Amino acid sequence: MVSRRVALTAAGVGIAGVAGAAAVGAAMMDEDRSPAAASPGDAVPFYGEHQAGIVTPAQDRLHFAAFDVITKDRAKLVEMLREWTAAAARMTQGRDAGLLGAVGGQAEAPPDDTGEALGLPASGLTLTIGFGRSLFRDAAGVDRFGIADRMPAALEPLPHFPGDALRPEISDGDLCVQACANDPQVAVHAIRNLARIGFGVVSIRYSQLGFGRTSSTSREQATARNLMGFKDGTRNMKLEDTDLLREQLWARASDGADWMAGGSYLVTRRIRMTVETWDRTPLAEQEAIFGRDKGEGAPLGQAKEFDEPDFAAKGADGEPVIAKEAHIRLAHPDFNNGAHLLRRGYNFVDGSDGLGRLDAGLFFIAYQRDPRKQFVPVQRSLARADILNEYIRHVSSGLWACPPGVTGDGDHWGRALF
Ligand code: HEM
């Protein structure tokens, strides 16, 4: 649906805060809250019942950052979250991050915005915040900000899975922000400006750039491919699956943490692929590993991408057509107590590793109502038997409570929590 909001933003509200931008912003809040932008340059509404960037049709680019909170002062942290919210509301609508106005300002002070997104459109930017377990209670059990009793049970630490090679310095964190956009410069600008605004309160623990979304989160999107060359996201939970989203994506007050009602839990995993070994693996073996053909993405034994897999079918040799250890069998809800995930991952290539290999893989992102019932059993089943494990290694992990959306004036990220 093309709403008035979309038409107005398509007219080109640049980041410099051209005349009338504020009025346009206000109009956007009141009108259509459809989660999708009509074209890649458009703005996605920031305000709403749920945070944008979860069911929003996956944009092409990612800049994900995890932050450590470096102050002990609760009031400073809350004030920064308030400032972050204001900046996020502006940047997602294609405006500058500044709280005081456009770039420039006083002659001796640094500008209110770093400037590299000046003149660029909103580019579908979404900013999604999450709170890590260590924000509530540090490793020594100390209640850092007086919120330990509000920690959701669903933030229970993920167990160790066979094959995990996690590096602590690129895992976990107190806060995370997922920036997704159709222009990498816009996503990078957003994270950079949040880090700048948070100076003295937070510092970046690690960050990850991603490209080429590996999931579709709407039936209107074509399925993209991961770096193994396979379509990824075919059987993902999607924006149109409203009953399933209610059941398996959005947390409820009755789940235990009332401030999380309408929020969702995020699991991030940086998964390194040994692409050089994969590239020497015969096609038939690659297809057996996933249980799908590479060209069309159809389940083995079927013709079309969206055909249902038949896990009971046997070939002439009496063996299952989709192997017992195939990725799509082990990850399928039928074999995991009905568990679904909303996957939203991105490809990454971070140069090479000095040994002639690309440092490449999948930055896995999955949202769900309760990781203890969703990510954990699915990953247990994959870690135990997935043939894909010969070609991948999980090197970082994060678990985050992403609160509900910000509803408008006076509300801010973390308000219900603090
Ligand atoms: C399905 C790739 C890791 C959960 C798929 C598919 C591909 C794929 C190609 C089939 C198309 C689709 O339905 O999306 C990969 C790669 C991974 C990886 C390359 C690692 C580098 C994971 C992890 C999880 C996971 C860590 C969760 C713990 C799923 C689920 C499905 C799926 C739930 C859909 C199963 C179904 O209902 O048919 N994956 N995946 N994947 N994957 Fe993965």
Side-chain angles (χ1 to χ4, degrees), residues 226 231-235 290 327 331 333 343 364 375 379 382:
N226 59 38
K231 288 189 185 171
D232 205 335
T234 304
R235 276 188 45 90
F290 284 112
H327 186 75
R343 289 171 286 139
F364 175 88
F375 176 79
Q379 177 54 18
L382 292 175

Side-chain angles (χ1 to χ4, degrees), residues 158-243:
L158 298 177
H160 173 85
F161 299 101
D164 272 1
L166 305 182
R167 288 169 44 202
E169 73 281 11
I170 54 166
S171 294
D172 305 320
D174 297 332
L175 299 170
C176 77
V177 180
Q178 170 200 277
C180 295
N182 295 313
D183 181 335
Q185 182 115 341
V186 169
V188 166
H189 167 265
I191 293 290
R192 178 178 173 194
N193 278 276
L194 294 181
R196 181 185 57 78
I197 292 166
F199 182 77
V201 181
V202 289
S203 71
I204 289 195
R205 181 176 171 83
Y206 56 92
S207 90
Q208 179 70 54
L209 290 173
F211 63 92
R213 64 179 169 85
T214 60
S215 273
S216 37
T217 50
S218 156
R219 297 203 191 286
E220 292 194 355
Q221 291 185 295
T223 317
R225 290 179 189 268
N226 59 38
L227 290 182
M228 289 175 153
F230 278 75
K231 288 189 185 171
D232 205 335
T234 304
R235 276 188 45 90
N236 202 12
M237 255 202 293
K238 300 203 170 141
L239 151 69
E240 295 84 358
D241 305 330
T242 35
D243 291 347

Side-chain angles (χ1 to χ4, degrees), residues 265-384:
Y265 293 90
L266 163 63
V267 174
T268 53
R269 309 278 286 185
R270 177 179 156 110
I271 307 177
R272 169 92 190 261
M273 293 172 176
T274 45
V275 287
E276 293 76 13
T277 318
W278 179 256
D279 295 344
R280 293 195 301 270
T281 303
L283 176 63
E285 201 173 323
Q286 293 188 355
E287 295 184 331
I289 288 170
F290 284 112
R292 288 185 177 269
D293 79 55
K294 198 167 183 176
E296 166 69 21
L300 295 183
Q302 312 296 328
K304 291 287 181 197
E305 182 189 352
F306 294 100
D307 289 349
E308 282 298 312
D310 179 355
F311 294 114
K314 295 208 166 131
D317 57 1
E319 292 297 318
V321 174
I322 298 175
K324 287 218 153 48
E325 307 80 12
H327 186 75
I328 66 160
R329 181 193 288 269
L330 295 169
H332 195 279
D334 286 1
F335 303 101
N336 293 286
N337 228 355
H340 289 258
L341 294 167
L342 187 134
R343 289 171 286 139
R344 218 179 187 284
Y346 286 84
N347 298 318
F348 69 85
V349 177
D350 290 342
S352 56
D353 66 1
L355 298 169
R357 300 178 303 203
L358 291 177
D359 185 357
L362 168 69
F363 192 72
F364 175 88
I365 293 180
Y367 289 90
Q368 61 229 275
R369 181 171 162 199
D370 189 341
R372 294 168 301 174
K373 297 185 185 147
Q374 295 166 265
F375 176 79
V376 171
V378 176
Q379 177 54 18
R380 263 211 184 103
S381 135
L382 292 175
R384 184 178 42 80

